[in-house]
Amino acid sequence: MHHPAPRHPRLDPLADRYAARTHGMKTSEIRALFSVVSRPEVVSLAGGMPAVTALPLDAVGSMIGELVSGMGAQTLQYGSGQGDPRLRERICDVMALEGITDASPSEVVVTVGSQQGLDLVTRVFVDPGDVVLAEGPSYVGALGVFQAAEARVKHVPMDDDGLIPEALEQALIECRAAGDRVKFLYTVPNYHNPAGVTLSEPRRQAVVEIAERYDLLVIEDNPYGLLGFDREPMRALRARDDRRVIYLGSFSKTFSPGLRVGWVLAPLAVREKLVLATEAQVLCPPSLTQYAVARYLDTQPWREQVKHFVELYRERRDATLESLEALMPPGTTWTRPDGGFYVWLKLPHGLDAKLMQPRAVNAHVAYVPGIGFYADGSGREFMRLSYCYPEPDQIREGVRRLARVIEAELDLHSTFDGVDTGTFRAVSGTQPGIVGPANSDRYEDRA
Ligand code: PMP
């Protein structure tokens, strides 16, 4: 059936009725790029898609088929709001690998990916105007949740060892002085998205001590913790403090993102609120995918599979770092991740990753501009490169193209030196701060 498009899409007749919280919602920098990066000629260093083709697809396929025929109607029925008890037990075994040995299945809530966990935790704790502390930069999907809840995000700087504890303390002191209600610190301690760095051991201790001293709640978001290249998993923050740390986990990176299974580990009183919130949202997490994950953990060599993923990502990380080293013009710097999916790259002085993006897409390479990872519009000189999905040869080609674009940009920049930034922006053809479908359509026209 043909559905006529609205004649005046800009004149939205419901515009004055939307809830105030929708004003904070915007298209993520990553989604805006989707139509571009799926084209075969473009090397995408943009999306953070796990390499699911490395899974034993036949074995997983028959396992899921046998679930329905073997377990029957149960797999197709509603389940508990808190999630399948068997799966929650297995989740506790998984968390023990990161030093969380005292977790009880009763403290676990199964969620539709850790993304839903983030949303639930935010619903339970954040009122409009509350402050959320988050690393600068921060995971774009978390910023989207905080903005939708009308939280005010205050960024805490990081360096190669992760979040800087002194800066965290400083932020807390400033918030106290300003009378702000700080609801929690949101942190990704392992192989940070997008920064690629890991919170060092001494800093873990320092963050937990600050949390204790300032009575600060910490949301520890840890989807990448088992994906370290060179070492055993580090001890989680939650393993050091079971009262002030709420832990978010996910099977998206260790198994499959398409199944959408994650979890929250929280003290019982909080767990109760999370279950009420999830029941209001989705009644219960999907039964079939929970059984699939539980069966996978029970019957498949999943830890060997994680090792296999790690080897594959290590090879891609190496290809990325070697190419950057060989090809990037002076003045470009980047982080050196020892796990996970991401490199955070800083452009030479004066360049702007967002303005440069259309030219990169023309040169058939995609990345995510840094501004998407800040709530305050900063980060223009940064970009995130993901090495998880392309093959090493594609990565090398992508970095080669990117290096050429940056070099051309440097030439252009020196030509325009002295011209005010307004003119420089006009030359690039994008407007600062505008993200979303309008821009992505334009990239499509050009590339
Ligand atoms: N947190 C972080 C830091 C992530 O990188 C992601 C996925 N990119 C998520 C949460 C959400 O993952 P999922 O919902 O698939 O578990």
Side-chain angles (χ1 to χ4, degrees):
M1 203 172 92
H2 177 67
H3 296 279
R7 270 214 235 137
H8 300 291
R10 275 155 203 266
L11 298 180
D12 179 350
L14 299 179
D16 57 356
R17 282 183 232 189
Y18 293 122
R21 77 181 73 89
T22 62
H23 304 323
M25 296 177 179
K26 59 173 190 172
T27 310
S28 90
E29 288 287 331
I30 298 175
R31 186 143 67 83
L33 281 168
F34 245 57
S35 61
V36 170
V37 301
S38 48
R39 300 211 311 271
E41 68 276 20
V42 175
V43 173
S44 175
L45 303 170
M49 291 198 298
V52 286
T53 47
L55 283 167
L57 294 178
D58 288 344
V60 173
S62 15
M63 185 197 83
I64 291 177
E66 285 158 18
L67 265 183
V68 180
S69 47
M71 288 179 74
Q74 200 185 348
T75 60
L76 303 175
Q77 190 52 277
Y78 288 120
S80 119
Q82 192 181 348
D84 173 45
R86 172 87 192 133
L87 175 61
R88 287 188 278 115
E89 271 173 34
R90 299 311 317 269
I91 284 172
C92 290
D93 300 340
V94 172
M95 290 190 291
L97 299 174
E98 295 180 276
I100 305 174
T101 49
D102 60 346
S104 142
S106 63
E107 298 168 310
V108 174
V109 182
V110 179
T111 56
V112 179
S114 52
Q115 188 67 31
Q116 193 209 357
L118 268 168
D119 188 68
L120 292 177
V121 166
T122 304
R123 269 166 204 266
V124 163
F125 286 104
V126 175
D127 284 314
D130 287 347
V131 169
V132 168
L133 300 177
E135 284 127 352
S138 239
Y139 166 52
V140 59
L143 294 180
V145 170
F146 302 148
Q147 276 154 3
E150 299 173 84
R152 289 182 295 139
V153 175
K154 188 173 169 79
H155 287 294
V156 181
M158 339 165 63
D159 61 18
D160 286 347
D161 288 329
L163 180 79
I164 302 170
E166 295 76 19
L168 172 62
E169 188 157 13
Q170 185 60 35
L172 286 163
I173 291 168
E174 284 169 17
C175 288
R176 267 194 187 171
D180 292 332
R181 274 179 311 180
V182 176
K183 281 298 169 73
F184 52 71
L185 164 72
Y186 167 73
T187 178
V188 180
N190 294 310
Y191 320 120
H192 189 271
N193 178 5
V197 300
T198 293
L199 190 65
S200 68
E201 180 58 38
R203 286 192 180 179
R204 284 175 194 241
Q205 212 45 49
V207 168
V208 167
E209 280 164 23
I210 291 171
E212 168 99 40
R213 212 161 347 113
Y214 287 82
D215 194 18
L216 173 70
L217 184 64
V218 177
I219 310 301
E220 176 178 31
D221 184 12
N222 186 32
Y224 305 100
L226 298 183
L227 297 183
F229 302 146
D230 307 310
R231 53 172 134 85
E232 291 300 302
M234 288 180 80
R235 233 172 126 237
L237 298 174
R238 166 58 180 72
R240 302 155 205 262
D241 185 336
D242 60 359
R243 287 188 308 131
R244 284 200 181 73
V245 182
I246 292 177
Y247 177 99
L248 306 184
S250 174
F251 290 106
S252 288
K253 276 75 187 192
T254 50
F255 179 22
S256 152
L259 294 176
R260 310 300 304 123
V261 180
W263 70 92
V264 184
L265 171 68
L268 283 178
V270 178
R271 185 231 47 200
E272 201 42 45
K273 299 258 187 248
L274 294 171
V275 172
L276 292 174
T278 205
E279 284 170 353
Q281 229 179 20
V282 294
L283 298 183
C284 64
S287 300
L288 183 58
T289 58
Q290 290 185 78
Y291 290 129
V293 173
R295 181 65 65 95
Y296 180 75
L297 296 174
D298 275 339
T299 64
Q300 307 286 315
W302 73 272
R303 292 186 68 175
E304 279 65 45
Q305 179 61 36
V306 171
K307 280 194 191 129
H308 179 58
F309 277 133
V310 163
E311 288 317 311
L312 183 136
Y313 295 134
R314 183 213 304 278
E315 202 190 334
R316 294 176 185 193
R317 185 274 317 253
D318 289 345
T320 309
L321 293 184
E322 282 159 20
S323 311
L324 288 169
E325 204 65 61
L327 299 167
M328 279 296 147
T332 319
T333 57
W334 54 89
T335 55
R336 288 166 177 74
D338 54 4
F341 288 4
Y342 310 106
V343 169
W344 186 238
L345 180 140
K346 184 166 192 236
L347 290 169
H349 179 71
L351 299 197
D352 180 321
K354 177 72 179 164
L355 296 183
M356 197 178 87
Q357 195 182 28
R359 287 188 282 278
V361 170
N362 277 340
H364 294 166
V365 59
Y367 55 80
V368 185
I371 52 167
F373 303 96
Y374 289 88
D376 58 7
S378 58
R380 306 195 70 100
E381 67 275 39
F382 291 98
M383 66 176 68
R384 188 190 76 178
L385 303 178
S386 312
Y387 50 79
C388 47
Y389 193 70
E391 306 271 343
D393 278 346
Q394 292 174 294
I395 292 175
R396 290 185 197 99
E397 180 55 29
V399 172
R400 196 170 302 129
R401 291 175 190 173
L402 182 62
R404 271 194 234 120
V405 172
I406 296 175
E407 273 157 9
E409 199 77 3
L410 280 169
D411 287 346
L412 189 67
H413 200 244
S414 58
T415 312
F416 278 86
D417 228 8
V419 178
D420 77 4
T421 48
T423 316
F424 188 63
R425 280 177 181 150
V427 169
S428 83
T430 56
Q431 288 178 41
I434 296 187
V435 294
N439 276 356
S440 52
D441 289 345
R442 194 154 52 201
Y443 301 148
E444 194 149 74
D445 293 345
R446 284 165 171 230

